[in-house]
Structures are given as structure tokens and as C-alpha cells.
Amino acid sequence: MASSSWPWHFVSVSPEQAQQRRDLLDLRGYYAQISVLFAIVIIRLYSGHEPAQKTPSRKKQKSWWDSPPFAGWMETRRQYAVTLIWFTWLLALSMWKTGDDYLHLTRALGHVSLSQLPFQTLMSPVYYISVSKPASPSVVSILTSISQPMLSPYHRLFGRIVLSPLLVGHAALYLAFFAQSDHPDFSSLLVKRLQDDDVQCGILAISVVVSVLLFVRPVGNPYWLRLWTSTSIRSRREAFYTVHLSLVAGLCLVAYYHVAQAQTFVLQALAAFVVNAGCCWVCAR
């Protein structure tokens, strides 16, 4: 059993209660995705009413909010703040109506995080590998009137600060549950579950998530520059984009076979990729 100081515990539920929890998980996914649409509408309305600014005669000094929190960082304080606010909202949504049910919270973290895959895909700069047109707008860029160079940092931070922590938290809580649970034929439930396909897919998915976090595009780092300066800009873009896209595709594939509830979100992400690529192709012509 979980520690008594921890607000969530391992509880047994009836079939009716299990179905109620399943319905709540689905509802969380709907709310998480609807909140994305709501945010896009708000941003669009705000940008539509924002007065046009005249081009300044000299370069305006960046504000504290629009500067990186540390020297050498790419994203600004404003971008970190917005992303952290979204993470807080999704974390609160994951905790909503979980009561003291440890496994319900665990499943909610994974369900809510995967519900954001289509949105993350629609923010991605499809034509990143093009040196001449790297700023071709994504679907979210078109809908919000935010230029792709301003949107791409949110795409990066969304993966690092929102999706990854929720998925890693989901996996860590499940593994902790397995390790603390007994099994009649094994030393623990963890030993048994490590032999099951769904858990193996889950562990592989988290390994891919960590790989995506570690494989970042090289900018301004002397170590990375020594490895990359011998190649052209286009070659570096192609290498990064190919590996990054392959890892994300691998994540979607193992998530699809990990649990049935993830399949809808994976298919939505695939459809979002096709739509995003189509829009970028039209806009780049």
C-alpha cells in the first residue's frame, strides 16, 4: 500500500466504479482537447484586436519577459511561463475527481498527456528542413496568426515541460505500484508485468520520450558545433528532422499498442500530421 502521508492509495473498485473511472478518463481527454480549441480562439481574438504597431526606426530593446532566463537559452521567460501555466492546467485536470485512487491518477496522467499529441503535431514546423522556407506556417500558426518562428519555441517547450513530465509521471507511478504489489507466482507484480507486452511497450515509449529530450538541435554549443560544422545547414536540418520525426513516430507506434485508450489520440496525431503537412505545402508554394 502507498504511504499514509500520500493522498492517493491503492484501492479496490467494483465493476461499476471502474466504468465510472473509465468515463472520467474519457471526459478528461475531451476537456484537455477542448481547452486547446478554446485557447486558440482566445489568442485569435486577442491578436485580431491588437493594434498594428508601426515599424520602429531602431531596434527596440527586449523586455525582461522576452529575454531568456539564462544566457545561452533559446526560449524566453514569457514562453516558459505560458508553457508552465498549461502544464499546471493539465496536471490539475489529471488530478480532478481522482479522490484517493492511486491508479486512477496514474491513468489520468497518461491519458491527458496523450490527448495533447494532435495539438503538438499541429504546432510543428513541417518545412523545418528547408533552408529557404524554414518559417512556413503550421496549422496552429495560421489559426492564431502567430508566426512560426514565434510558435516553434512553444512546440519545443510543450514537449519538454508538458508532455514529457506527464508521461514520465504516468510510467513512474505505474512501476511503483507494480513494485509494491505482490504476485502469487513471482517475487512482485513488477517482475510479472515486465514480461507483458503492454508494459514493455510502455517502457519503450518512455525510453523514446527521453531520447527525444536528449536529441535536441545543436545551437551555440561548442561541443555540438565540433560535430556539426563539417556539414551544411541543410544536412544538419535533415539529420535532426529525420531522427526527431522517427523518434516521435516510434513513440506513437508503441503508444498505440500500449493501451487501447491511446489509439484514438495516435490516429488523431497521424491525421493532424497529414493536415499540417498539407497546409504547410500550400502556404510554401
Side-chain angles (χ1 to χ4, degrees):
M1 294 294 291
S3 171
S4 58
S5 61
W6 181 251
W8 291 276
H9 307 283
F10 305 157
V11 298
S12 299
V13 297
S14 65
E16 293 77 11
Q17 291 173 322
Q19 183 58 46
Q20 290 176 355
R21 284 159 171 73
R22 176 71 265 154
D23 294 340
L24 271 175
L25 284 180
D26 292 338
L27 191 61
R28 282 188 180 86
Y30 297 144
Y31 284 169
Q33 292 191 327
I34 290 173
S35 63
V36 170
L37 298 177
F38 182 75
I40 290 176
V41 170
I42 294 297
I43 293 172
R44 180 70 184 193
L45 291 175
Y46 174 78
S47 61
H49 287 83
E50 190 176 30
Q53 296 181 350
K54 295 181 180 180
T55 303
S57 58
R58 59 181 179 179
K59 189 175 180 181
K60 185 179 179 180
Q61 186 177 6
K62 289 184 178 180
S63 67
W64 183 85
W65 274 108
D66 293 322
S67 300
F70 300 101
W73 287 33
M74 296 177 58
E75 295 82 14
T76 66
R77 293 182 177 89
R78 185 189 306 276
Q79 292 160 351
Y80 274 99
V82 170
T83 309
L84 286 171
I85 289 172
W86 195 258
F87 169 75
T88 302
W89 154 241
L90 293 182
L91 181 61
L93 185 60
S94 300
M95 297 167 60
W96 173 62
K97 288 190 175 182
T98 57
D100 63 344
D101 192 337
Y102 179 97
L103 287 181
H104 188 39
L105 170 66
T106 303
R107 296 186 182 105
L109 290 172
H111 195 80
V112 168
S113 61
L114 290 178
S115 73
Q116 302 294 284
L117 279 178
F119 175 56
Q120 175 73 338
T121 302
L122 292 174
M123 279 199 298
S124 61
V126 176
Y127 274 80
Y128 174 78
I129 58 176
S130 173
V131 176
S132 60
K133 301 176 181 177
S136 297
S138 63
V139 170
V140 174
S141 174
I142 296 170
L143 293 177
T144 60
S145 296
I146 299 175
S147 66
Q148 191 60 41
M150 292 183 62
L151 188 64
S152 291
Y154 289 103
H155 172 73
R156 295 192 296 266
L157 290 178
F158 200 87
R160 299 176 201 163
I161 298 178
V162 179
L163 293 183
S164 297
L166 292 175
L167 288 173
V168 170
H170 165 78
L173 290 179
Y174 247 129
L175 291 175
F177 166 71
F178 293 150
Q180 296 179 63
S181 301
D182 298 327
H183 191 279
D185 301 322
F186 296 88
S187 57
S188 69
L189 182 59
L190 176 62
V191 177
K192 163 63 175 64
R193 294 292 279 127
L194 286 176
Q195 303 178 30
D196 296 335
D197 293 341
D198 62 327
V199 173
Q200 292 174 359
C201 284
I203 293 175
L204 182 57
I206 295 303
S207 300
V208 174
V209 169
V210 174
S211 299
V212 172
L213 289 175
L214 294 177
F215 187 77
V216 296
R217 71 183 176 94
V219 285
N221 189 313
Y223 172 77
W224 283 109
L225 287 177
R226 288 198 298 270
L227 300 178
W228 289 69
T229 48
S230 60
T231 60
S232 66
I233 294 177
R234 183 177 180 85
S235 297
R236 277 178 274 170
R237 287 181 181 275
E238 288 177 345
F240 167 78
Y241 186 78
T242 300
V243 175
H244 181 78
L245 190 62
S246 299
L247 289 173
V248 173
L251 170 62
C252 291
L253 180 63
V254 293
Y256 185 90
Y257 289 104
H258 171 58
V259 62
Q261 289 74 25
Q263 295 176 359
T264 298
F265 299 136
V266 172
L267 293 176
Q268 289 176 350
L270 177 60
F273 177 79
V274 173
V275 172
N276 199 41
C279 287
C280 286
W281 178 77
V282 171
C283 293
R285 292 182 65 182

